[in-house]
């Protein structure tokens, strides 16, 4: 049986941007979620990111004179709801049972961003799909593939404009559940 109901989950993770030819993103974060019942939680996610120009960006700007709209998300905070519609067990050799759970999440919050024309807090949407592998009643290895989209303010040809900007990330970390499950006490 899943043992998440009426428990706090703290998920600490490392984060890596994927699929962006111009910026490499690396960072980390912490999500605190309250599980109201099995497979349903609400929480707060706070993360920070560093971003670095790739060789493709340098070449595009220098040789092709491309106008690439660069937006660097430095930090983000979001309220996140999560459901876990798929869960089960896998039997390993030696009669070990591993509990698995697939979850979907969506959130609303703010991203602190920086561009050539300034920095500020921008409204943000986030969403993703993830997998938990329970190592015990109190710990799980958690991986997530997700995206952030935010309303960025930029200067294009000297004119202020708003663009939807976003990126994909892969997150991997350890979840800790508290208090301990009744079976552990």
């Amino acid at each position: 049986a899943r043992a998440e109901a009426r428990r706090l989950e703290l998920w600490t993770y490392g984060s890596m941007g994927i699929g962006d030819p111009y910026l490499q993103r690396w960072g980390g974060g912490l999500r605190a979620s309250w599980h109201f019942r099995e497979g349903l939680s609400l929480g707060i996610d706070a993360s920070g990111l560093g971003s670095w120009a790739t060789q493709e960006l340098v070449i595009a700007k220098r040789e092709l004179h491309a106008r690439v709209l660069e937006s660097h998300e430095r930090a983000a905070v979001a309220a996140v709801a999560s459901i876990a519609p798929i869960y089960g067990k896998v039997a390993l050799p030696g009669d070990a049972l591993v509990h698995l759970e697939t979850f979907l999440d969506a959130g609303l919050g703010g991203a602190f961003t920086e561009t050539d024309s300034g920095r500020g807090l921008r409204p943000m949407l986030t969403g993703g799909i993830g997998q938990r592998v329970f190592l015990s009643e109190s710990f799980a290895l958690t991986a997530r593939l997700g995206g952030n989209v935010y309303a960025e303010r930029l200067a294009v040809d000297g004119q202020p404009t708003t663009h939807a900007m976003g990126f994909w990330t892969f997150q991997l970390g350890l979840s800790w559940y508290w208090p301990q499950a009744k079976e552990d006490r």
Side-chain angles (χ1 to χ4, degrees), residues 25-40:
R25 293 179 175 90
W26 296 90
L30 176 69
R31 180 179 293 186
S33 301
W34 179 256
H35 290 261
F36 294 99
R37 61 180 186 82
E38 307 298 342
L40 177 66

Side-chain angles (χ1 to χ4, degrees), residues 154-171:
L154 299 157
V156 178
D157 295 326
Q159 297 299 314
T161 183
T162 302
H163 274 273
M165 303 290 281
F167 56 92
W168 294 98
T169 56
F170 175 72
Q171 294 145 321

Side-chain angles (χ1 to χ4, degrees), residues 100-118:
L100 304 170
E101 173 178 274
T102 301
F103 65 91
L104 302 168
D105 63 30
L108 180 64
F112 183 77
T113 68
E114 200 173 310
T115 66
D116 293 343
S117 57

Side-chain angles (χ1 to χ4, degrees), residues 27-76:
L30 176 69
R31 180 179 293 186
S33 301
W34 179 256
H35 290 261
F36 294 99
R37 61 180 186 82
E38 307 298 342
L40 177 66
S41 67
L42 191 61
I44 297 286
D45 189 290
S47 61
L49 283 173
S51 45
W52 293 268
T54 64
Q55 197 59 37
E56 285 82 359
L57 179 61
V58 173
I59 291 168
K61 284 182 153 183
R62 185 180 62 216
E63 322 240 328
L64 305 174
H65 305 293
R67 281 198 343 241
V68 178
L69 301 177
E70 275 183 77
S71 173
H72 300 264
E73 180 183 299
R74 300 296 183 205

Side-chain angles (χ1 to χ4, degrees), residues 4 7 12 34 36 61 63 86 90 94 98 103 106-107 111 121 143 148 152 162 168 171 173 178:
E4 299 167 342
R7 292 176 82 191
T12 181
W34 179 256
F36 294 99
K61 284 182 153 183
E63 322 240 328
I86 301 169
V90 175
V98 175
F103 65 91
L121 189 62
N148 284 6
E152 183 61 276
T162 302
W168 294 98
Q171 294 145 321
W178 187 85

